[in-house]
Every structure is written in structure tokens, then in C-alpha cells.
Amino acid sequence: MQTARRPVGELLREWRDRRRISQLDLAISADISTRHLSFVETGRSKPSRDMVLRLGEHLDVPLRERNRLLLAAGFAPAYTENALGDPEMSAVRQAVRQLLASHDPYPAAVVDRNWDLVDANAAIGLFVTGIPPALTTNVLRATLHPDGMAPHVLNLGEWRAHLLGRLRRQVDQTADPGLTGLLDELRGYPCDQPVPEVEVPGPGDIFVPLKFRHDGTDLTFFSTVATFGTPLDVTVAELVIESFFPADPATAAYLRERAASVE
């Protein structure tokens, strides 16, 4: 997406339309006049750096895209994008490793904005053992590809609908063309189970479970998702930690016994 070559007003209007916010509502929330906002969107007025950042904040534009808005307006990016291995990110790395280690013997993984695997604890091997290495670099491909976890996911249709729904909402939130391509790719993977269009709970259901068969044993999990609460770096803002918990006592016991057997 060549956002840096497009006028900043056009990009702002596109984000406002994506968020389904009227000019009046955005102008009120950002404390500017509707006339000024209209002039910015049509290119009749050049916004200041502060104005671009303020509108990006009120439109909930991802940090990566806020940098692109600034570039389109002729300003330098405001948010750093450090690699996770950089010295500046040591505290982040330590926090991530602490979270992952403390979650053993239950699986947990960290992914970036593309759902590429960044880090994981030892228990994640339960899911990925035997999967071709080329698939394990991306957790969505690893899960839904017929050569990946998919043959072992007992409720594949339900779990597939859950994952594709999350990715679809991420596409709507970020307008990332790479994620759009990934969504199209995943939709093309075969699935021999019905895939519900809407996640409707059955009697007693309180979450979408992951039902997984490992070495002939049926396991059931639910997951939680965590992000950094106050990110000011693009990389940090895009990290997601997904932690899997046993949904029944039998799964918990199996995981504890499995961990003890490899110590």
C-alpha cells in the first residue's frame, strides 16, 4: 500500500470511513472545527504534525499507519520500530520470556502482526511436533493447513471459523494488504467440517474450545490473548501473546504428566 505517495487528507478520510465516523463526530472528539477537518481531507489545508497525530489517535489508527500518515503529510515518523533483538528491547524480551516460562506446562506463543511465530515456550511442541518447518513459521498456516495441525483438530470447522474471524477483524482494523492476502490464502485451505458463519454458543458453552488429539489422547483448551498496554514502539504494539489453558481436569493432568516425563 503506497500510503506515503497519497495525500494525507485522502488517507485520513479513508480511515474515517473505515471507522464509520462522520466528519462532525470526529471533529468534536478531536476538538477541531468541521470546516478545518473538511479542508484537511480535501487537501485545501495542510495539517500540522500535532493534528495528524491527534486525528490518528481519535481514529484508533495503528502506530505503523500513524507513521505512514506523518510521512504522507511531510513529517518524520513519531514511533520507533525496533527489532525485538535490539538492546532497547531487552525489557520487552525479558517480560515475554517470563510470561512464556511461567505458563509451562501449558502451551503459549508470541506472534507479530503477520501471525509469524516470534517466540514460544517448550509446551508449544505439543501442537507443532511433526509439522513441516516451513509451516511452523506462521501460526495460522500451521494450524489450518492440511499438512499442519488441522488433521488433529477435532473441531476444525469451529476453530477455523474462530481464527478466520479474528484475522478478518484484524484486516478491518489495520487495512493491511499482507493480512488480506493471508486471509484469502487460509480461506482456500480444505476443511471437511462445516464452518459456521457466526459463532453461536451451544448449551453451557462459554468460549470456543480447541479440541486437539495428541498421541491418541483427546485434549481440550481455551486461550487468552495479551498485548502490551501502553506501547509506543510499532513492534511492541503488534506483539500478541496467546496462552492456552486446559479446559478440563483430564487435559491438565495430561500436560503435567507430559512435562514431567521430559524433565
Side-chain angles (χ1 to χ4, degrees):
M1 185 167 56
Q2 300 297 322
T3 53
R5 299 181 182 178
R6 297 169 58 193
V8 64
E10 179 182 322
L11 295 174
L12 287 167
R13 183 173 65 250
E14 187 176 277
W15 279 106
R16 182 175 60 77
D17 290 342
R18 185 174 292 113
R19 298 293 185 255
R20 296 179 174 86
I21 299 176
S22 69
Q23 272 192 350
L24 177 60
D25 287 341
L26 178 57
I28 291 173
S29 67
D31 194 25
I32 63 175
S33 72
T34 306
R35 185 169 182 266
H36 187 190
L37 177 58
S38 176
F39 278 16
V40 168
E41 290 189 350
T42 58
R44 295 179 64 184
S45 178
K46 184 181 186 302
S48 66
R49 184 176 186 271
D50 178 70
M51 178 66 66
V52 174
L53 290 171
R54 192 189 319 173
L55 292 173
E57 173 71 20
H58 286 276
L59 288 170
D60 194 25
V61 176
L63 299 191
R64 179 180 298 276
E65 302 305 322
R66 293 187 203 185
N67 277 345
R68 290 176 176 169
L69 288 174
L70 288 167
L71 287 171
F75 302 109
Y79 303 97
T80 59
E81 185 179 355
N82 293 297
L84 198 56
D86 289 350
E88 296 87 349
M89 302 285 273
S90 61
V92 174
R93 291 195 305 275
Q94 292 172 12
V96 167
R97 290 305 309 164
Q98 182 177 347
L99 285 169
L100 292 175
S102 65
H103 197 64
D104 269 322
Y106 308 147
V110 183
V111 299
D112 63 15
R113 69 189 182 102
N114 298 312
W115 293 74
D116 290 334
L117 185 64
V118 174
D119 203 349
N121 64 6
I124 206 71
L126 176 90
F127 292 146
V128 301
T129 300
I131 294 179
L135 287 180
T136 60
T137 58
N138 182 276
V139 298
L140 291 184
R141 291 191 181 98
T143 304
L144 299 179
H145 195 280
D147 293 331
M149 288 173 54
H152 307 284
V153 178
L154 303 178
N155 60 331
L156 180 60
E158 185 180 36
W159 193 248
R160 173 189 172 98
H162 165 68
L163 292 181
L164 293 185
R166 284 174 59 180
L167 181 55
R168 185 179 64 252
R169 290 187 289 272
Q170 187 180 356
V171 168
D172 291 341
Q173 173 72 17
T174 65
D176 189 305
L179 293 178
T180 302
L182 179 60
L183 180 60
D184 290 341
E185 175 189 335
L186 297 174
R187 282 172 171 164
Y189 290 175
C191 181
D192 58 2
Q193 297 181 15
V195 181
E197 293 186 9
V198 179
E199 296 173 359
V200 179
D205 289 345
I206 57 175
F207 49 73
V208 178
L210 170 61
K211 299 178 181 180
F212 187 75
R213 179 167 292 163
H214 181 262
D215 286 345
T217 300
D218 294 351
L219 308 171
T220 305
F221 299 87
F222 68 90
S223 70
T224 63
V225 174
T227 59
F228 285 84
T230 55
L232 292 175
D233 179 273
V234 174
T235 300
V236 176
E238 294 173 344
L239 289 178
V240 174
I241 304 168
E242 184 146 14
S243 304
F244 291 86
F245 293 84
D248 54 49
T251 299
Y254 181 89
L255 295 173
R256 289 194 297 269
E257 292 170 4
R258 180 176 181 271
S261 68
V262 299
E263 287 180 355

